[in-house]
Amino acid sequence: MRSLPLQLWEASPAEWVATFVQATDILSAVIGLFIAYQAYRGYRRNDSRPMLVIAIGFLFALAVPFLLVILYAILPFLSETLLAVCSQASQLSGLLAILYALRMPA
């Protein structure tokens, strides 16, 4: 009787780390979208402009950089440098929007 291996493939530690990083990227994008959605709902419910700016900030800080990575995977002719600059600019503008919303009068 032959025993079957529990693993479907053998992965090196580097492959496990890469998979973990990809999973956390996806998770952070999903959480960012959820926070942005909740903030948008708060804006609609209370007509609170700071909540709208917070929603936009989370969208730019977490969701847009992930979408840029997906775009890079689909269109590999894009420059990695361009992707990094756009991603950093999106994150920075999102964080500045969140900071602005927190300082904004209600």
Side-chain angles (χ1 to χ4, degrees):
M1 186 162 125
R2 209 174 82 153
S3 65
L4 296 173
L6 293 176
Q7 290 178 282
L8 296 177
W9 71 91
E10 283 198 34
S12 68
E15 290 172 334
W16 284 108
V17 170
T19 302
F20 178 75
V21 168
Q22 290 172 347
T24 56
D25 283 345
I26 293 169
L27 185 62
S28 67
V30 168
I31 290 171
L33 283 172
F34 179 71
I35 292 170
Y37 172 70
Q38 292 297 327
Y40 179 73
R41 284 184 55 207
Y43 160 71
R44 297 278 301 188
R45 185 180 323 115
N46 301 321
D47 199 29
S48 170
R49 190 160 175 88
M51 290 303 285
L52 177 62
V53 177
I54 286 176
I56 293 169
F58 271 102
L59 203 65
F60 275 96
L62 294 172
V64 171
F66 181 73
L67 294 175
L68 287 173
V69 170
I70 291 175
L71 185 66
Y72 178 71
I74 294 171
L75 305 171
F77 59 83
L78 293 176
S79 165
E80 244 182 90
T81 306
L82 177 66
L83 174 74
V85 168
C86 290
S87 179
Q88 288 292 318
S90 175
Q91 288 176 352
L92 182 62
S93 62
L95 292 174
L96 287 173
I98 293 169
L99 181 64
Y100 174 71
L102 294 174
R103 303 292 297 165
M104 176 187 275

